[in-house]
Amino acid sequence: MKKNKFNIAFAIVTITLGLFSCTDDTSQNQSTSAVELVTLEASVEEVESVVDTYSLYALSSLEFESTTDVTGKTSSGKTKLGKGCKDRSGFFPDCAVFEEVTEGDVTTTTISFPDDCEDRNGDIISGTITIVKSTLDTDKSRTITFDVFTVNGYVTNGTKTHEYTAENENGNPQIEGSVNITIETDEGTITKAGTRLVEVTAGSDTDTHKDDEKTITGSYSFTDAEENTKTVEITTALIKPAACKYIAEGIKEYTEAGETSILDYGDGTCDNLATLTEADETVTEIELKRKRKR
């Protein structure tokens, strides 16, 4: 009888320890997942920064030599740089192909990149960007559509609706508007939806892109392939110097189920590192990734 009591007591202790063990493992897995999700979002931020740069210079720097046909339609036709299209920023690679067509008061600009087109920053670009705008002076809205637009293996689809301002209250050019895109990553397809403002805060007094510095603000929802969603707010503007491949400064807050974690990009040093502080004050250094493993 004593032996049976001992066996029962031992079983209870074993089960109890097992339950505590499972609880600890679950907590650890949740923490790891939070870090992985933020790491994924931060890497996607790097990709979107490249996408924004193409959008910005497409709106601010491209100039087309147009001709008018007998129907009254104005079109430059397909062209490469130096043949009917001028890029004042010097940002677009020679492999980019441009087409601009105006019908009535709507102008459509298409920028296409062949596979393995390497740009000025060493990024591998392919796919198509289409920009639709009104020629009316009162309408500054631009609808930018991405069709399998690929940056270093990350595939972007969807739209951005921007209002382009050549000179804002600070005297700087900017694009501001809504974002609704998907990006294919190694972890599956993610979605981003929200608002975004990109301002050129340094270098806008010259045509070249090489001395530009951009700041990025906004808020949005971020959902991964497993439908884990975080709301993200850029609380301190992200800073992306043209001379650095990575975002060098700024702070973002991630909120999920009432808990907030903070990602700090640092003090302006050009590196691929950022610091994540979770709701429980756990601190993790994460690596920003610009290329898919594939």
Side-chain angles (χ1 to χ4, degrees):
M1 188 69 179
K2 289 183 180 179
K3 183 177 181 181
N4 290 338
K5 286 182 178 179
F6 175 79
N7 288 340
I8 293 171
F10 179 78
I12 291 173
V13 170
T14 302
I15 293 171
T16 303
L17 289 173
L19 288 173
F20 279 116
S21 176
C22 289
T23 301
D24 290 343
D25 287 345
T26 301
S27 175
Q28 185 176 0
N29 289 337
Q30 287 175 344
S31 177
T32 301
S33 296
V35 172
E36 290 174 350
L37 185 59
V38 170
T39 301
L40 174 61
E41 193 282 329
S43 296
V44 167
E45 180 73 60
E46 295 294 326
V47 176
E48 192 174 6
S49 174
V50 176
V51 174
D52 283 337
T53 303
Y54 274 94
S55 300
L56 178 65
Y57 291 132
L59 297 177
S60 64
S61 300
L62 294 181
E63 297 175 353
F64 290 84
E65 296 176 5
S66 299
T67 58
T68 304
D69 63 21
V70 293
T71 66
K73 296 179 179 179
T74 302
S75 173
S76 67
K78 284 190 176 182
T79 181
K80 284 196 173 185
L81 285 177
K83 297 179 180 180
C85 177
K86 180 181 178 181
D87 169 24
R88 290 184 290 104
S89 69
F91 173 76
F92 286 88
D94 294 335
C95 43
V97 178
F98 301 84
E99 181 179 14
E100 184 175 83
V101 176
T102 299
E103 296 187 41
D105 59 2
V106 176
T107 297
T108 302
T109 303
T110 303
I111 309 169
S112 56
F113 304 84
D115 291 343
D116 299 330
C117 175
E118 184 172 349
D119 71 8
R120 311 295 186 198
N121 295 325
D123 296 309
I124 304 300
I125 309 295
S126 64
T128 303
I129 303 173
T130 303
I131 303 168
V132 178
K133 65 179 180 180
S134 170
T135 57
L136 301 176
D137 291 339
T138 56
D139 188 357
K140 298 180 180 179
S141 178
R142 310 286 191 268
T143 300
I144 305 175
T145 304
F146 302 92
D147 184 15
V148 197
F149 182 66
T150 305
V151 179
N152 298 325
Y154 290 93
V155 182
T156 300
N157 287 288
T159 60
K160 293 185 176 220
T161 303
H162 288 311
E163 181 177 296
Y164 169 68
T165 302
E167 189 173 328
N168 64 13
E169 59 185 9
N170 301 320
N172 300 323
Q174 69 173 40
I175 52 175
E176 179 180 18
S178 63
V179 176
N180 192 348
I181 59 174
T182 64
I183 298 181
E184 295 178 17
T185 72
D186 293 311
E187 292 78 8
T189 300
I190 64 91
T191 60
K192 288 187 72 170
T195 61
R196 197 168 176 88
L197 186 153
V198 181
E199 178 182 359
V200 181
T201 49
S204 62
D205 54 341
T206 65
D207 281 340
T208 179
H209 73 283
K210 294 181 179 180
D211 59 356
D212 287 353
E213 181 175 273
K214 293 181 287 296
T215 61
I216 304 165
T217 55
S219 59
Y220 48 91
S221 64
F222 176 89
T223 305
D224 71 4
E226 297 179 355
E227 299 187 353
N228 298 306
T229 299
K230 287 183 180 291
T231 58
V232 186
E233 182 177 1
I234 301 172
T235 55
T236 301
L238 308 183
I239 297 178
K240 172 63 175 66
C244 183
K245 287 188 175 182
Y246 299 94
I247 293 169
E249 194 173 345
I251 295 174
K252 290 195 289 190
E253 288 187 357
Y254 300 81
T255 303
E256 183 180 10
E259 294 190 344
T260 299
S261 52
I262 297 172
L263 184 68
D264 189 338
Y265 283 82
D267 59 2
T269 302
C270 182
D271 58 32
N272 66 334
L273 302 175
T275 302
L276 173 66
T277 303
E278 297 180 67
D280 63 359
E281 299 187 357
T282 299
V283 178
T284 306
E285 186 175 74
I286 68 170
E287 181 180 351
L288 311 176
K289 301 174 183 178
R290 288 174 57 89
K291 294 183 179 181
R292 288 182 66 182
K293 299 174 184 177
R294 306 188 74 180

